[in-house]
């Protein structure tokens, strides 16, 4: 038998979204404790003050106060009242401690609780005074002691973070240090941010064995300002060991502490790859439960074996609802497509808030704060199929705003730093550091004036990364300009000391040909045939892009053969996973092309029809390579479509140990696929994902 008790929580601040939260408490006595008691199911959180109004409908309402008024008039602002079912055997005088948390989304890591009051069914009350910092959460759980009084609470919080940190990898410095950055967003009147503290120690040691400790710079100027919200970036660098990984623990001024892992100099980095980290419409956002569940699986993989770098291949945010809303509102006011008054300003605000709203979701926020990431944009970061649309003056202004926010959030504002440093203007490649294919001009000091393109390369010793910007110059007739193709060829020619080159591309170069479907849809006036055409025109398989596609294939095959290096293409966008191969007809040169999409977005509804258009094998002639063959391998997972993963997924890439048939510099690749269903029947225990592993 159970009885009903009342529990009231006063919140001071919450950094992360609680959209998918499930919160539990446990009452602990000297000799016994209750089972976990659920405070709220995830489906009702949006009615509570921790849930920001702009997260319910981010294209209509934006930032509001972190703690709003509760639903009951007799409760004070910022308090939430819950009802819990307690066993009859438990009495309030026996409760000595309260354990709160156990939330799989881990939003609690950024939850600053003021006080908790527990009242039994007879009116007896006990109190729990929470710590004044976030640092008392231990793996998503905090334990508080019962007290007979409430302590006074501070009215103001020094820094009110609404997003972050978002870790970035900035390359290896000239003296061999590992360069990191952390992006944060704050609300309020902050004019400076205090330095961030960091410590470095071996992963096999304890924090008492600190090798290096230090502080970042004090931030006196934000990267960007949007209303009362500011974007900031901390920069710091740490030494590396020759043979052993190190951990870097860093602490923000608000007391929150995070750790990431630094690869040893002579050990190749462990990687994760993900793309398509959002949904296209408000209907999908409302309907798709457990949309962030694959981030939880990445967290589990990271905790088993730390990941050094997270590569993100595009569609980190989905701006389609934002753009549609801007256009809809302007049309409702009778404004035509040539009237651009106020468009850029409005778009900047909305893109800024889009990034913050997505990256403060606790599941993705957990990973972005613990694995340094490198990103390149794709279509949805601007607007679906950007580059194949008819560009109006209004859309061009929106694109300009999207580009500025891409530089600030995904590139961490690094182009601005580059423009002020003459070393970025040198000819050639700087190993281990960022090299831009098109360096920003020295006179450019603000993202608003930087038109790109943004292709860049960087390396960690002999492991190289090439991130291709295939949006800035994209049109119906080209993927990149002739000038960019020539510059890219020259850039690859001068790269030396490479054992493995990872090339990150938005859309997979080996994928289906939709031309027949588009033709039938157009003739029969199939619903949405225009969007289907635009999507097809955006793919490499479009006839207009065939020349660029083969140019890319030749460039990569030439590089692999001439440098004796393994080349792997990582791509996303299409919302399925696949593993394709490209082989030269004159030698054994082979390029693996692995597609992982999406970590959040779902497979197209018409996927069975699309698969019917995919050829078993494709052959064509390339100068210097003769008859080249391209095909897609079967993936041995329990699924209907043997060659394609049609549920959410991401990749883990680990250095392969040299053995028979596995060369030095090669990687072991694992597809991690969402289980169906994602949780057990009580929606409490995360089911194990399905996996497929092979070697590059």
């Amino acid at each position: 038998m159970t009885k009903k008790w009342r529990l009231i929580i006063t919140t001071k601040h919450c950094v992360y979204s609680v959209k998918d939260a499930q919160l539990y408490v446990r009452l602990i006595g000297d000799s016994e404790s209750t089972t976990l008691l659920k405070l709220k199911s995830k489906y009702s959180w949006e009615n509570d003050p921790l849930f920001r109004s702009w997260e319910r409908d981010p294209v209509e309402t934006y930032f509001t106060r972190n703690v709003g008024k509760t639903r009951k008039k007799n409760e004070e602002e910022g308090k939430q009242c819950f009802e819990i079912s307690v066993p009859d055997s438990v009495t309030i005088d026996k409760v000595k401690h309260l354990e709160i948390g156990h939330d799989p989304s881990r939003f609690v890591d950024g939850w600053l609780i003021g006080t908790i009051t527990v009242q039994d069914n007879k009116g007896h009350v006990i109190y729990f005074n929470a710590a004044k910092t976030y640092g008392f959460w231990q793996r998503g759980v905090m334990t508080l002691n019962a007290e007979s009084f409430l302590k006074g609470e501070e009215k103001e919080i020094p820094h009110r973070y609404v997003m972050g940190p978002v870790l970035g990898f900035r390359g290896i410095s000239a003296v061999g240090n590992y360069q990191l950055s952390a992006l944060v967003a704050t609300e309020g009147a902050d004019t400076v941010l205090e330095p961030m503290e960091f410590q470095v120690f071996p992963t096999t040691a304890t924090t008492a064995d600190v090798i290096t400790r230090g502080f970042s710079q004090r931030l006196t100027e934000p990267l960007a300002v949007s209303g009362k919200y500011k974007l900031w970036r901390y920069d710091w660098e740490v030494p590396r060991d020759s043979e052993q990984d190190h951990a870097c623990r860093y602490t923000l001024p608000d007391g929150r502490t995070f750790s990431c892992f630094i690869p040893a100099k002579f050990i190749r980095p462990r990687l994760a790859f993900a793309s398509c980290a959002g949904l296209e419409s408000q209907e999908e956002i409302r309907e798709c439960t457990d949309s962030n569940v694959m981030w939880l699986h990445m967290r589990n993989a990271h905790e088993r074996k730390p990941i050094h770098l997270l590569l993100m291949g595009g569609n980190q945010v989905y701006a389609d609802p934002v753009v549609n809303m801007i256009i809809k509102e302007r049309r409702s006011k009778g404004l035509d497509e040539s009237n651009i008054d106020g468009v850029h300003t409005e778009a900047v605000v909305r893109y800024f808030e889009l990034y913050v709203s997505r990256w403060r979701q606790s599941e993705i926020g957990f990973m972005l704060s613990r694995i340094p990431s490198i990103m390149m944009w794709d279509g949805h970061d601007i607007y679906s199929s950007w580059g194949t649309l008819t560009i109006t003056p209004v859309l061009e202004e929106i694109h300009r705003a999207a580009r500025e926010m891409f530089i600030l959030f995904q590139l961490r504002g690094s182009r601005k730093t580059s423009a002020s440093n003459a070393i970025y203007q040198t000819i050639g490649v700087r190993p281990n550091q960022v090299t831009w294919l098109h360096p920003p001009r020295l006179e450019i000091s603000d993202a608003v004036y930087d038109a790109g393109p943004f292709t860049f390369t960087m390396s960690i010793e002999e492991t190289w990364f090439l991130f291709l910007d295939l949006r800035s110059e994209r049109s119906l007739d080209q993927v990149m300009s002739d000038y960019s193709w020539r510059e890219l060829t020259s850039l690859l020619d001068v790269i030396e000391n490479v054992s493995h080159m990872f090339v990150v591309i938005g859309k997979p170069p080996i994928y289906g040909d939709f031309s027949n479907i588009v033709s039938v849809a157009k003739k029969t006036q199939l619903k949405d045939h225009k969007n289907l055409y635009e999507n097809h025109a955006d793919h490499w398989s479009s006839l207009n892009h065939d020349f660029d596609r083969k140019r890319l294939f030749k460039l990569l095959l030439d590089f692999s053969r001439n440098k004796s290096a393994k080349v792997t293409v990582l791509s996303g966008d299409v919302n399925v996973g696949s593993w394709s191969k490209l082989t030269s007809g004159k030698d054994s040169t082979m390029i693996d092309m692995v597609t992982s999409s999406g970590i959040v977005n779902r497979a197209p509804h018409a996927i069975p029809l699309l698969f019917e258009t995919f050829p078993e094998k494709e052959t064509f002639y390339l100068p210097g390579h003769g008859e080249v063959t391209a095909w897609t391998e079967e993936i041995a997972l329990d699924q209907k479509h043997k060659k394609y993963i049609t549920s959410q997924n991401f990749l883990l890439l680990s250095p392969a140990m040299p053995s028979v048939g596995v060369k030095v510099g090669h990687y072991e690749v694992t597809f991690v696929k969402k289980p169906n269903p994602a949780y057990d029947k009580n929606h409490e225990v995360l089911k194990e994902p399905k996996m497929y592993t092979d070697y590059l």
Side-chain angles (χ1 to χ4, degrees):
M1 299 292 291
T2 62
K3 51 194 173 186
K4 301 296 184 183
W5 286 12
R6 193 179 187 215
L7 186 145
I8 300 173
I9 300 176
T10 302
T11 293
K12 296 174 70 176
H13 186 70
C14 192
V15 179
Y16 300 118
S17 163
V18 298
K19 179 176 179 294
D20 289 327
Q22 298 179 82
L23 191 62
Y24 300 84
V25 297
R26 192 198 311 269
L27 303 178
I28 303 172
D30 290 333
S31 59
E32 64 176 328
S33 62
T34 66
T35 59
L36 291 178
L37 309 173
K38 183 182 289 190
L39 291 187
K40 279 284 185 180
S41 69
K42 67 171 191 170
Y43 305 107
S44 57
W45 268 110
E46 65 183 72
N47 295 318
D48 288 300
L50 287 182
F51 197 93
R52 289 166 172 257
S53 64
W54 52 262
E55 290 172 320
R56 283 198 294 273
D57 195 355
V59 298
E60 291 182 354
T61 320
Y62 295 96
F63 290 104
T64 60
R65 298 188 59 190
N66 260 6
V67 180
K69 291 184 178 179
T70 52
R71 286 169 291 173
K72 295 185 178 180
K73 292 182 179 180
N74 62 333
E75 292 181 351
E76 295 178 16
E77 186 179 60
K79 291 186 176 181
Q80 295 167 275
C81 184
F82 304 98
E83 191 176 74
I84 54 176
S85 298
V86 180
D88 283 339
S89 60
V90 177
T91 58
I92 200 165
D93 61 302
K94 294 180 180 179
V95 177
K96 305 300 181 183
H97 312 280
L98 180 143
E99 193 178 76
I100 186 168
H102 303 280
D103 166 56
S105 80
R106 292 290 286 272
F107 90 89
V108 295
D109 288 342
W111 190 15
L112 190 57
I113 297 175
T115 59
I116 299 176
T117 302
V118 176
Q119 183 180 41
D120 70 7
N121 55 327
K122 297 180 180 180
H124 301 131
V125 178
I126 53 174
Y127 305 101
F128 300 87
N129 294 291
K132 293 183 179 180
T133 69
Y134 301 90
F136 285 79
W137 293 102
Q138 301 295 325
R139 296 183 66 81
V141 178
M142 181 163 58
T143 302
L144 302 173
N145 297 325
E147 301 182 56
S148 58
F149 63 94
L150 289 178
K151 294 180 180 178
E153 297 183 21
E154 298 175 0
K155 294 295 183 181
E156 295 298 327
I157 301 170
H159 304 296
R160 302 179 71 93
Y161 291 85
V162 294
M163 182 206 77
V166 177
L167 272 183
F169 174 60
R170 298 185 295 117
I172 309 298
S173 73
V175 296
N177 288 340
Y178 206 76
Q179 299 180 114
L180 297 167
S181 67
L183 205 65
V184 296
T186 63
E187 63 177 341
D190 293 301
T191 56
V192 297
L193 286 189
E194 296 306 312
M196 181 206 69
E197 183 181 5
F198 64 89
Q199 299 174 334
V200 179
F201 49 90
T203 55
T204 56
T206 65
T207 53
D209 301 308
V210 174
I211 294 174
T212 301
R213 68 173 73 241
F215 291 87
S216 70
Q217 76 281 28
R218 183 172 184 258
L219 301 183
T220 59
E221 182 181 356
L223 279 178
V225 178
S226 179
K228 63 177 180 177
Y229 302 95
K230 299 180 179 71
L231 189 68
W232 310 76
R233 189 189 72 215
Y234 286 105
D235 294 326
W236 75 104
E237 58 183 62
V238 298
R240 291 189 299 157
D241 188 74
S242 296
E243 298 178 356
Q244 183 180 5
D245 283 5
H246 283 172
C248 176
R249 175 171 293 176
Y250 65 102
T251 303
L252 294 179
D254 67 357
R256 289 182 296 144
T257 297
F258 309 86
S259 292
C260 64
F261 294 87
I262 313 300
K265 290 181 181 178
F266 301 119
I267 297 177
R268 285 170 291 127
R270 289 184 295 277
L271 313 170
F273 174 81
S275 69
C276 303
L279 297 165
E280 296 184 36
S281 68
Q282 285 304 114
E283 289 73 24
E284 286 182 307
I285 293 171
R286 283 189 287 266
E287 294 171 5
C288 187
T289 59
D290 306 322
S291 58
N292 286 328
V293 71
M294 293 309 294
W295 289 109
L296 300 184
H297 287 296
M298 186 183 289
R299 181 186 76 193
N300 292 342
H302 179 61
E303 291 178 344
R304 286 191 296 267
K305 194 169 186 179
I307 300 165
H308 295 123
L309 286 177
L310 171 60
L311 313 179
M312 299 194 72
N315 301 336
Q316 277 68 261
V317 296
Y318 277 67
D320 305 67
V322 167
V323 178
N324 290 336
M325 182 57 67
I326 292 173
I327 293 173
K328 179 180 178 181
E329 289 179 354
R330 294 184 66 80
R331 286 175 178 169
S332 69
K333 297 175 182 177
L335 301 174
D336 61 37
E337 295 293 318
S338 63
N339 187 335
I340 62 172
D341 289 346
V343 174
H344 176 261
T345 301
E346 181 183 4
V348 164
V349 170
R350 296 203 177 195
Y351 273 99
F352 186 98
E353 293 169 346
L354 174 68
Y355 274 100
V356 172
S357 68
R358 294 298 181 263
W359 288 1
R360 75 181 299 269
Q361 290 178 3
S362 52
E363 300 89 344
I364 183 173
F366 187 96
M367 299 314 303
L368 293 182
S369 63
R370 289 164 175 83
I371 307 177
S373 56
I374 317 172
M375 303 180 182
M376 178 53 69
W377 68 349
D378 200 25
H380 288 288
D381 296 298
I382 312 167
Y383 187 61
S384 179
S385 302
W386 182 265
T388 61
L389 306 172
T390 301
I391 306 302
T392 64
V394 166
L395 281 179
E396 184 53 49
E397 288 296 291
I398 291 173
H399 168 248
R400 191 159 63 93
R403 185 178 66 220
E404 294 165 36
M405 295 302 104
F406 161 68
I407 294 171
L408 291 171
F409 283 88
Q410 298 196 36
L411 300 182
R412 307 336 188 237
S414 60
R415 293 280 286 189
K416 181 175 179 179
T417 305
S418 305
S420 63
N421 191 337
I423 194 171
Y424 283 78
Q425 307 304 309
T426 58
I427 298 173
V429 174
R430 298 174 301 120
N432 296 326
Q433 300 182 50
V434 176
T435 299
W436 301 99
L437 186 65
H438 301 279
R441 298 190 306 274
L442 287 176
E443 65 269 19
I444 292 177
S445 60
D446 199 306
V448 70
Y449 303 113
D450 189 354
F454 304 102
T455 292
F456 64 91
T457 186
M458 62 197 314
S459 68
I460 301 179
E461 274 69 53
E462 294 186 355
T463 303
W464 284 73
F465 306 96
L466 172 63
F467 283 74
L468 290 177
D469 175 9
L470 302 180
R471 286 296 161 187
S472 291
E473 300 177 308
R474 198 180 197 94
S475 70
L476 283 171
D477 300 319
Q478 67 176 32
V479 176
M480 287 197 306
S481 68
D482 286 339
Y483 174 74
S484 290
W485 282 111
R486 291 194 299 270
E487 289 294 294
L488 180 59
T489 303
S490 299
L491 180 72
L492 294 178
D493 283 345
V494 298
I495 288 178
E496 301 293 344
N497 300 319
V498 52
S499 63
H500 203 138
M501 171 69 83
F502 289 97
V503 183
V504 177
I505 296 175
K507 289 187 179 292
I510 300 177
Y511 197 57
D513 181 357
F514 307 125
S515 55
N516 290 336
I517 291 181
V518 172
S519 178
V520 171
K522 194 171 182 179
K523 289 179 181 177
T524 59
Q525 290 298 300
L526 185 68
K527 184 181 178 181
D528 220 19
H529 71 84
K530 182 180 179 182
N531 288 341
L532 189 60
Y533 167 75
E534 289 173 348
N535 190 274
H536 165 62
D538 200 37
H539 276 271
W540 291 95
S541 60
S542 168
L543 185 61
N544 290 348
H545 295 327
D546 185 63
F547 179 75
D548 278 352
R549 178 175 182 249
K550 289 173 180 173
R551 180 186 277 183
L552 174 70
F553 288 162
K554 176 172 169 51
L555 192 63
L556 298 182
L557 287 169
D558 286 347
F559 180 85
S560 180
R561 181 172 62 191
N562 297 340
K563 306 293 181 178
S564 299
K566 177 64 185 172
V567 174
T568 300
V569 174
L570 301 175
S571 57
D573 182 80
V574 292
N575 298 337
V576 299
S578 65
W579 193 317
S580 301
K581 295 181 182 288
L582 177 76
T583 60
S584 172
K586 287 199 171 181
D587 51 43
S588 59
T589 303
M590 177 182 289
I591 308 294
D592 285 276
M593 300 194 178
V594 188
T595 300
S596 178
S597 173
I599 192 168
V600 172
N601 208 351
R602 300 169 293 179
H605 295 299
I607 204 71
L609 181 61
L610 296 180
F611 287 162
E612 294 177 7
T613 72
F614 295 179
E616 289 292 321
K617 189 173 288 189
E618 181 184 6
T619 59
F620 47 87
Y621 174 81
L622 283 183
H625 295 278
E627 190 174 78
V628 171
T629 305
W631 74 96
T632 299
E633 298 272 275
E634 287 193 357
I635 298 175
L637 280 170
D638 182 20
Q639 55 187 27
K640 181 178 179 181
H641 308 290
K642 298 300 182 183
K643 294 184 178 181
Y644 300 94
I645 298 173
T646 57
S647 60
Q648 290 96 318
N649 62 91
F650 64 87
L651 294 177
L652 296 173
L653 302 99
S654 300
M657 297 298 294
S659 60
V660 177
V662 179
K663 297 180 180 179
V664 175
H666 286 212
Y667 271 71
E668 175 185 272
V669 179
T670 299
F671 274 102
V672 184
K673 174 188 175 225
K674 179 183 176 182
N676 187 21
Y679 288 89
D680 67 355
K681 63 180 181 180
N682 295 323
H683 206 273
E684 294 178 352
V685 179
L686 193 65
K687 287 197 169 185
E688 286 297 311
K690 295 183 179 295
M691 298 188 183
Y692 169 76
T693 300
D694 205 342
Y695 292 95
L696 293 172

